[in-house]
Amino acid sequence: MDEHPISRYPVPTMGELPEDLRDTIAAVSERTGFVPNVFLALAHRPDELRAFLAYHEALMEKPGGLTRAEREMVVVATSANNDCQYCVVAHGAILRIRARNPLLADQVAINYKKADLSEREQAMLAFAMKVADDSRSIDEDDFARLRTHGFDDEDIWDIAGIVAVFGLSNRMANFLSMRPNDEFYAMGR
Amino acid sequence: MDEHPISRYPVPTMGELPEDLRDTIAAVSERTGFVPNVFLALAHRPDELRAFLAYHEALMEKPGGLTRAEREMVVVATSANNDCQYCVVAHGAILRIRARNPLLADQVAINYKKADLSEREQAMLAFAMKVADDSRSIDEDDFARLRTHGFDDEDIWDIAGIVAVFGLSNRMANFLSMRPNDEFYAMGR
Amino acid sequence: MDEHPISRYPVPTMGELPEDLRDTIAAVSERTGFVPNVFLALAHRPDELRAFLAYHEALMEKPGGLTRAEREMVVVATSANNDCQYCVVAHGAILRIRARNPLLADQVAINYKKADLSEREQAMLAFAMKVADDSRSIDEDDFARLRTHGFDDEDIWDIAGIVAVFGLSNRMANFLSMRPNDEFYAMGR
Amino acid sequence: MDEHPISRYPVPTMGELPEDLRDTIAAVSERTGFVPNVFLALAHRPDELRAFLAYHEALMEKPGGLTRAEREMVVVATSANNDCQYCVVAHGAILRIRARNPLLADQVAINYKKADLSEREQAMLAFAMKVADDSRSIDEDDFARLRTHGFDDEDIWDIAGIVAVFGLSNRMANFLSMRPNDEFYAMGR
Amino acid sequence: MDEHPISRYPVPTMGELPEDLRDTIAAVSERTGFVPNVFLALAHRPDELRAFLAYHEALMEKPGGLTRAEREMVVVATSANNDCQYCVVAHGAILRIRARNPLLADQVAINYKKADLSEREQAMLAFAMKVADDSRSIDEDDFARLRTHGFDDEDIWDIAGIVAVFGLSNRMANFLSMRPNDEFYAMGR
Amino acid sequence: MDEHPISRYPVPTMGELPEDLRDTIAAVSERTGFVPNVFLALAHRPDELRAFLAYHEALMEKPGGLTRAEREMVVVATSANNDCQYCVVAHGAILRIRARNPLLADQVAINYKKADLSEREQAMLAFAMKVADDSRSIDEDDFARLRTHGFDDEDIWDIAGIVAVFGLSNRMANFLSMRPNDEFYAMGR
């Protein structure tokens, strides 16, 4: 048995995957240089993986007012808040690359309030934490505050949506004891 | 302006919807007798709605060891835990119908520990609350406990998955101030 | 043995009750159409029941600036906050009737911040939650805020008193596993 | 104006009180040597004071398996948990006297787990804290545990009832900023 | 075996102590009239005791803008927040003496917000609680608020430092089940 | 002004330091290759820095049953729990080096329960978290559990002491907005 399995559940081999997922994963692997474990761990249930990838793409790849680095800041802060090892390590790597900053991901993961961020970015993450932990209390004041930092209503939806979808994957990754690939830890440093 | 809007964001008319979503919603409407507001509120972003529906279907409509009533118990307990008005009201109605029990949904929403549930159902909901609030601590003991109540590993994934996907929709519904249709409140009583 | 006992403790029959309590309960029963279980469950200790009824009457039946519907909103929000099944179900029914609104009780119970309430009512419930959860921090600012919504000092005492007395009955009902009468669930819908 | 008022609300003079309350208070004053402020502060509303005194007497003065010192331990631990200055100071004095122990009240107020208590008393206070903070989760295991320490079901009701009624007075005392009489601080030391 | 040991760990006799600690403790004993148990309990590890005494002296004995009574207020509020029996009882005694006020220590320990304190002292303790419980969120607004009450930056460091060092001793005292000397309870009343 | 100051407070130059501290810091700098910012930030108050270094040395440099890597695990888990950026980044680097493991520090910082740790190490960190967050409840069961993993009473004191002293430095570092040296982020990867 593997000393460090990547999931509590069975993990399909590439050959066992449905063709569409095999193609998707091959494309990622070519771009990244390895297959991120999340694809294999979630592929135990192809329909759920497809839905997750579609949701992820709808928020992370779409055009919009948030930069790619900003989106990754939201992912890292949310995933740290939810204590998700896979997502902090993997998206921490992506944040370092997107922000071209080797320090920022660790800062955001430990305590975003002490990170090297602009006031706009601080406001974005404070709102993200409210969506994660106290969505029942979101009100017009939150929208007003974000607008003063230049976010429009579609940007605000993007922030909330990213928190919501990573809240899903954080819980699944914790449930599955999903293990980050060793490669992520040093990427972008 | 509408006295009680169903979302903070613009809501498309049926005519403005992409054809696939229009067909899906028309089918639901025929079955239920009205269009549940969640379809219209999320349709402001068709790609996200499609992904949400796919995820929802993958967990709520698939065959498996959990009954449909059990799945709705997980939805109602999770949504109450996350203080989501839309989901408690709408899925409370569905739970009353699926369980053929007019009392159960309110009991589960207020305090599932005092609800008319079997020990198996109590164990399922205790685990669901752990996924919702403390997924970082899920461990082998949780699996062992659930297995003594007859859940197999696929059932356990189903529970966790339902909590995760409704954690997403609870946050979005709170963010959007999504309003449940008046019809839900009295259904199945 | 009863499948669904109304209390963990022995419940007296009407014939076993002291005469004054029997008369009180008969009067309620005539008005409501059934005997609410709280009377029978607490009647295991007649002196405590008498004291509870006296306190309840002193706050819920007295004249004052709070409408009867407003008082029931405080009861439902407090009881939901304390996860008390009996009180949310029973007073939810009364709130529907007092407010002539079939939707309001469920809204207040799930998340009063998203309920169809005026700003005055929202301020009242926000203060009620502070009395329930953080009474140590009540200060002059709370009074000032409530006065801007038209509450005078006697109204404010009424709010605090209702929260305090239902904090008592919520804890007793949870302790006793007090079961709401089935009739309450559909009343006023 | 008084530098240290005993309540935010008007406090009646003895002459302004209804005769029954005047008699009750005079009797307490004779026994104690002064009028505890709680009587005067709550007397702003005679009906509520009468109900409170009746509830208090029904639990604190009745015969039963709990000693008077044990009841006061429950009061002090509950009031400390609820951060109530009046009740910790006043009932701390009574506990010192009832238990003939000048140290115990401060120990229980700061951290009952480190106090000079028997295992029976520790179990009693652990259950009291559950009634105060998590009554929703009380179940048969709690009863079973208390029975191993010699508590019968009526004793257990007494514990829960004392926590519930002091939960009420703790919230009212905090709401009123009720001030303990200076005399209490040094009594029984 | 001692009925009430002062520590879970072995406690050295005065004769077993290194000479420097023996001298320090003899001097304290002469001033106070007895040896406070903290010296003996921590003396199980002389190097740690020396470091603790040095840190304590650097903050509690130095000149500066905070009065000695104010420093003890911070100690008592922090220790109560951390549920430390030894420190609340021992420093409660010192606060009574320093402030020449027999009531203040109990008030601060139970709920400093209801204590007989100036606005300056309230602001100091509110900040102390933030250092104790939420240091991650300290920001410029905290400094600005304290400056309006006459604290300069060195005073603010003193407050934070006292909270930090007593956070250390509170945890050690709880860990050791350190017992306060009986003498402290009645000192200064 | 420096874009990224290492402390809110004035930072002395090496030349301004007292000689003993200058020597200490020079020695560290020679060993590490740079001066860790904590020395300079705390040197604003030489007496406190000396006391801190003495306490640190008494626990981190002494012989004993805990390996150096184990001690650093306690530091990283505690500092992550207290959201301290300086200590997680700096001691994360030291942990990578001591454990000769480039992945472990990030795993422990994000969620030690999912880290590549032995059962002994998991038990050590679970106890460390109890000292950090709930020291009031430490009891004999905690000692018994740790002994089954091979910890003796002196080892257990070491764990508690490390948590306590880093609880102090975490609060001070957050208070000072102490900035980790850039060098730490990549050390040992």
Side-chain angles (χ1 to χ4, degrees):
Chain A
M1 203 191 108
D2 188 0
E3 190 195 0
H4 293 309
I6 68 167
S7 167
R8 286 179 202 277
Y9 280 75
V11 173
T13 60
M14 286 292 277
E16 290 166 343
L17 289 172
E19 197 175 336
D20 62 321
L21 290 176
R22 206 186 313 146
D23 291 350
T24 302
I25 292 174
V28 172
S29 172
E30 199 158 326
R31 203 166 59 235
T32 311
F34 57 92
V35 181
N37 289 337
V38 63
F39 290 93
L40 299 173
L42 291 183
H44 177 63
R45 293 206 168 175
D47 288 344
E48 296 178 32
L49 175 54
R50 285 187 195 100
F52 174 72
L53 293 174
Y55 219 127
H56 187 280
E57 188 183 331
L59 283 158
M60 299 300 283
E61 310 290 333
K62 69 183 273 287
L66 300 183
T67 68
R68 306 200 120 205
E70 284 173 334
R71 294 178 210 200
E72 293 296 334
M73 287 173 205
V74 175
V75 175
V76 171
T78 299
S79 301
N81 182 67
N82 294 335
D83 302 311
C84 178
Q85 192 173 102
Y86 185 88
C87 302
V88 172
V89 171
H91 286 272
I94 303 174
L95 173 54
R96 284 190 292 272
I97 292 167
R98 295 270 195 257
R100 298 168 196 277
N101 180 328
L103 310 185
L104 195 59
D106 291 341
Q107 293 174 353
V108 168
I110 299 166
N111 181 355
Y112 77 86
K113 296 186 183 184
K114 306 288 186 183
D116 297 332
L117 296 172
S118 66
E119 288 193 15
R120 169 186 160 93
E121 291 159 343
Q122 288 282 352
M124 175 182 74
L125 295 184
F127 177 68
M129 295 303 95
K130 188 167 186 179
V131 177
D133 287 344
D134 187 29
S135 68
R136 66 169 283 149
S137 303
I138 295 168
D139 60 19
E140 283 306 317
D141 292 348
D142 296 306
F143 283 78
R145 199 172 305 113
L146 289 166
R147 285 184 198 118
T148 67
H149 291 285
F151 296 103
D152 70 18
D153 281 10
E154 293 306 314
D155 300 335
I156 298 173
W157 180 309
D158 286 344
I159 301 169
I162 293 169
V163 174
V165 82
F166 278 89
L168 181 157
S169 61
N170 294 163
R171 283 172 179 78
M172 287 308 292
N174 270 334
F175 166 68
L176 296 172
S177 278
M178 199 187 290
R179 185 181 179 81
N181 306 57
D182 291 2
E183 289 87 341
F184 282 125
Y185 289 82
M187 275 172 65
R189 290 191 184 273
Chain B
M1 201 191 112
D2 189 359
E3 188 194 4
H4 294 309
I6 69 169
S7 167
R8 285 179 203 276
Y9 281 75
V11 174
T13 61
M14 287 291 278
E16 291 165 341
L17 290 171
E19 195 175 341
D20 62 321
L21 289 176
R22 204 185 315 144
D23 290 351
T24 302
I25 292 174
V28 172
S29 171
E30 198 158 327
R31 204 165 58 238
T32 312
F34 57 93
V35 181
N37 290 337
V38 65
F39 290 92
L40 299 173
L42 291 183
H44 177 63
R45 293 204 168 176
D47 288 343
E48 295 178 33
L49 175 54
R50 284 185 197 102
F52 175 71
L53 293 174
Y55 219 127
H56 187 280
E57 187 183 333
L59 283 159
M60 300 300 283
E61 309 290 332
K62 71 181 272 287
L66 300 184
T67 67
R68 309 199 118 204
E70 285 173 334
R71 296 178 207 198
E72 294 296 332
M73 286 172 206
V74 175
V75 174
V76 171
T78 299
S79 302
N81 182 67
N82 294 335
D83 302 312
C84 177
Q85 193 173 102
Y86 184 88
C87 301
V88 172
V89 170
H91 286 271
I94 303 174
L95 174 53
R96 284 191 292 272
I97 291 167
R98 294 272 194 254
R100 298 169 195 279
N101 180 329
L103 310 186
L104 197 57
D106 292 341
Q107 294 174 352
V108 169
I110 300 166
N111 181 355
Y112 76 86
K113 295 187 183 183
K114 306 287 185 185
D116 297 332
L117 296 172
S118 66
E119 287 191 15
R120 168 185 161 94
E121 292 158 344
Q122 288 282 351
M124 175 181 74
L125 296 184
F127 177 68
M129 295 304 94
K130 188 167 184 179
V131 178
D133 287 344
D134 187 29
S135 68
R136 65 168 284 148
S137 302
I138 294 170
D139 61 19
E140 283 306 317
D141 292 349
D142 295 305
F143 282 78
R145 199 172 304 113
L146 288 166
R147 286 184 197 118
T148 68
H149 291 285
F151 295 102
D152 69 19
D153 282 9
E154 294 305 316
D155 300 335
I156 298 173
W157 179 311
D158 286 343
I159 301 169
I162 294 169
V163 175
V165 80
F166 278 88
L168 180 156
S169 62
N170 295 162
R171 283 171 179 79
M172 288 306 294
N174 270 334
F175 166 68
L176 296 173
S177 278
M178 200 187 289
R179 183 179 180 82
N181 306 59
D182 291 3
E183 289 88 339
F184 282 125
Y185 290 81
M187 274 172 64
R189 293 197 180 268
Chain C
M1 201 193 109
D2 188 0
E3 191 195 358
H4 293 310
I6 68 169
S7 169
R8 284 178 204 277
Y9 279 75
V11 173
T13 60
M14 287 292 277
E16 290 166 342
L17 290 171
E19 198 176 336
D20 62 319
L21 290 176
R22 204 185 313 145
D23 290 352
T24 301
I25 294 175
V28 172
S29 172
E30 200 159 323
R31 202 166 60 238
T32 312
F34 57 91
V35 180
N37 289 338
V38 63
F39 291 93
L40 298 173
L42 291 183
H44 177 62
R45 295 207 166 173
D47 288 344
E48 295 178 33
L49 175 53
R50 283 186 196 103
F52 174 71
L53 293 174
Y55 219 127
H56 187 281
E57 188 184 331
L59 283 158
M60 300 299 283
E61 309 291 333
K62 71 182 274 285
L66 300 184
T67 68
R68 307 199 120 205
E70 284 173 334
R71 296 178 207 199
E72 294 297 332
M73 286 172 205
V74 174
V75 175
V76 171
T78 299
S79 301
N81 182 67
N82 294 334
D83 302 312
C84 177
Q85 193 173 100
Y86 184 88
C87 302
V88 172
V89 171
H91 286 272
I94 303 175
L95 174 53
R96 286 190 290 273
I97 291 167
R98 295 270 195 257
R100 299 170 195 278
N101 180 328
L103 309 185
L104 195 59
D106 291 342
Q107 293 174 352
V108 169
I110 298 165
N111 182 354
Y112 77 86
K113 295 186 184 185
K114 306 288 186 184
D116 297 332
L117 296 173
S118 66
E119 288 192 15
R120 169 186 161 94
E121 290 158 344
Q122 289 282 352
M124 175 181 73
L125 295 183
F127 177 68
M129 295 304 94
K130 188 167 185 179
V131 177
D133 287 345
D134 187 27
S135 68
R136 68 168 283 150
S137 303
I138 295 169
D139 61 18
E140 283 306 317
D141 292 348
D142 296 305
F143 282 78
R145 199 173 304 112
L146 288 166
R147 284 183 199 119
T148 66
H149 291 286
F151 296 102
D152 70 19
D153 283 10
E154 293 306 314
D155 300 335
I156 298 173
W157 179 310
D158 286 343
I159 300 169
I162 293 169
V163 175
V165 79
F166 277 88
L168 181 157
S169 62
N170 294 163
R171 283 171 179 78
M172 287 307 293
N174 269 336
F175 165 68
L176 295 172
S177 278
M178 200 187 289
R179 184 179 179 82
N181 306 58
D182 291 3
E183 289 88 340
F184 282 124
Y185 289 81
M187 275 172 65
R189 291 191 184 274
Chain D
M1 203 191 109
D2 188 2
E3 189 195 1
H4 293 310
I6 69 169
S7 168
R8 286 180 202 276
Y9 281 76
V11 174
T13 61
M14 286 293 277
E16 291 166 342
L17 290 171
E19 196 176 338
D20 63 318
L21 290 176
R22 205 186 313 145
D23 291 351
T24 301
I25 293 175
V28 172
S29 171
E30 199 159 327
R31 204 166 59 238
T32 310
F34 58 92
V35 181
N37 289 338
V38 64
F39 289 93
L40 298 173
L42 291 183
H44 178 62
R45 293 206 169 175
D47 288 343
E48 294 179 34
L49 175 54
R50 284 186 196 103
F52 174 71
L53 293 175
Y55 218 127
H56 187 279
E57 187 184 332
L59 283 159
M60 299 300 282
E61 309 290 334
K62 73 182 271 289
L66 300 183
T67 67
R68 307 199 119 205
E70 285 173 334
R71 295 178 208 199
E72 293 296 333
M73 287 172 204
V74 175
V75 175
V76 171
T78 300
S79 302
N81 182 68
N82 294 335
D83 301 312
C84 177
Q85 193 174 99
Y86 185 89
C87 301
V88 172
V89 170
H91 285 271
I94 303 176
L95 174 53
R96 285 191 292 272
I97 291 168
R98 295 270 196 256
R100 298 169 194 280
N101 181 329
L103 311 185
L104 196 57
D106 291 342
Q107 293 174 352
V108 169
I110 299 166
N111 181 355
Y112 77 87
K113 294 186 183 184
K114 305 288 186 185
D116 297 332
L117 295 174
S118 66
E119 289 193 13
R120 168 186 161 93
E121 291 159 344
Q122 289 281 353
M124 175 181 74
L125 295 184
F127 177 67
M129 295 304 93
K130 188 167 184 178
V131 178
D133 287 344
D134 187 28
S135 68
R136 67 168 283 149
S137 302
I138 294 170
D139 62 19
E140 283 306 317
D141 292 348
D142 296 305
F143 282 78
R145 200 172 304 114
L146 288 166
R147 285 184 199 119
T148 68
H149 291 286
F151 296 101
D152 69 18
D153 282 10
E154 294 305 315
D155 300 335
I156 298 173
W157 180 308
D158 287 344
I159 300 168
I162 293 169
V163 174
V165 79
F166 278 88
L168 180 157
S169 59
N170 295 162
R171 284 172 178 78
M172 288 306 295
N174 270 335
F175 165 68
L176 296 172
S177 278
M178 199 186 291
R179 184 180 178 81
N181 305 60
D182 291 3
E183 290 88 341
F184 282 125
Y185 289 81
M187 273 172 65
R189 291 194 182 271
Chain E
M1 202 192 108
D2 189 0
E3 192 194 358
H4 292 309
I6 68 168
S7 168
R8 284 178 204 277
Y9 280 74
V11 173
T13 60
M14 287 290 278
E16 291 166 342
L17 290 171
E19 197 176 336
D20 63 320
L21 289 176
R22 205 184 314 143
D23 290 350
T24 302
I25 293 175
V28 172
S29 171
E30 199 160 325
R31 203 166 57 237
T32 312
F34 57 92
V35 181
N37 289 336
V38 64
F39 290 93
L40 299 172
L42 291 183
H44 177 62
R45 296 205 166 175
D47 288 344
E48 296 178 33
L49 176 54
R50 284 187 197 101
F52 174 70
L53 292 174
Y55 220 128
H56 187 280
E57 189 184 330
L59 283 158
M60 300 299 283
E61 310 290 332
K62 70 183 274 287
L66 299 184
T67 67
R68 307 200 119 204
E70 284 173 335
R71 294 177 209 199
E72 293 297 332
M73 286 172 206
V74 175
V75 175
V76 171
T78 299
S79 302
N81 182 66
N82 293 336
D83 301 312
C84 178
Q85 194 174 100
Y86 185 88
C87 302
V88 172
V89 171
H91 286 272
I94 303 175
L95 174 54
R96 284 191 292 273
I97 290 167
R98 295 270 196 255
R100 298 169 196 277
N101 180 329
L103 310 185
L104 195 59
D106 291 341
Q107 293 173 353
V108 169
I110 300 165
N111 181 354
Y112 77 85
K113 295 187 184 183
K114 305 289 186 184
D116 297 332
L117 296 173
S118 66
E119 287 192 15
R120 169 186 161 94
E121 291 159 342
Q122 289 282 352
M124 174 182 74
L125 296 183
F127 177 67
M129 295 304 93
K130 188 166 185 180
V131 178
D133 287 344
D134 188 28
S135 68
R136 67 169 283 149
S137 303
I138 294 169
D139 61 19
E140 283 306 317
D141 292 347
D142 296 305
F143 282 78
R145 200 173 304 113
L146 288 166
R147 285 184 198 119
T148 67
H149 291 285
F151 297 101
D152 69 19
D153 282 10
E154 293 305 315
D155 300 335
I156 298 173
W157 179 311
D158 286 343
I159 300 169
I162 294 169
V163 175
V165 80
F166 277 89
L168 180 157
S169 61
N170 294 162
R171 282 171 179 79
M172 287 307 292
N174 270 335
F175 165 68
L176 296 173
S177 278
M178 199 186 291
R179 184 180 179 81
N181 306 59
D182 291 3
E183 289 88 340
F184 282 125
Y185 289 82
M187 275 172 64
R189 290 193 183 273
Chain F
M1 203 190 108
D2 188 1
E3 188 194 3
H4 293 309
I6 69 169
S7 168
R8 288 179 200 278
Y9 280 75
V11 173
T13 61
M14 286 292 276
E16 291 165 341
L17 289 172
E19 196 176 338
D20 62 320
L21 290 175
R22 205 185 312 144
D23 291 351
T24 302
I25 293 175
V28 172
S29 172
E30 199 158 325
R31 205 166 57 238
T32 311
F34 57 92
V35 181
N37 290 337
V38 63
F39 290 92
L40 299 174
L42 291 183
H44 177 63
R45 293 205 169 176
D47 288 343
E48 295 178 33
L49 175 54
R50 285 187 196 101
F52 175 71
L53 292 174
Y55 219 127
H56 188 279
E57 187 184 333
L59 283 159
M60 300 301 283
E61 308 292 333
K62 71 183 272 286
L66 300 184
T67 67
R68 307 199 121 205
E70 285 173 335
R71 295 178 210 199
E72 294 297 333
M73 287 172 205
V74 175
V75 175
V76 171
T78 299
S79 302
N81 183 67
N82 294 335
D83 302 311
C84 177
Q85 193 172 102
Y86 185 88
C87 301
V88 172
V89 171
H91 286 271
I94 303 174
L95 174 54
R96 284 190 292 273
I97 291 167
R98 295 270 195 255
R100 298 168 194 280
N101 181 328
L103 310 185
L104 195 58
D106 291 342
Q107 293 174 353
V108 169
I110 299 166
N111 181 355
Y112 77 87
K113 295 186 183 184
K114 306 288 186 185
D116 297 333
L117 296 173
S118 66
E119 287 192 15
R120 169 186 160 94
E121 292 159 343
Q122 289 281 351
M124 176 182 73
L125 295 184
F127 177 68
M129 296 303 95
K130 188 168 185 178
V131 177
D133 287 344
D134 187 28
S135 69
R136 66 168 283 148
S137 302
I138 295 170
D139 61 18
E140 283 306 317
D141 292 349
D142 297 304
F143 283 77
R145 200 172 304 114
L146 289 166
R147 286 185 197 115
T148 67
H149 291 286
F151 296 102
D152 69 19
D153 282 10
E154 294 305 316
D155 300 336
I156 298 173
W157 180 309
D158 286 344
I159 301 169
I162 294 169
V163 175
V165 79
F166 278 89
L168 181 156
S169 60
N170 295 162
R171 282 171 180 78
M172 286 308 293
N174 270 335
F175 166 68
L176 296 173
S177 278
M178 201 186 288
R179 185 181 178 80
N181 305 59
D182 290 3
E183 290 88 340
F184 282 125
Y185 289 82
M187 275 172 64
R189 292 194 181 271

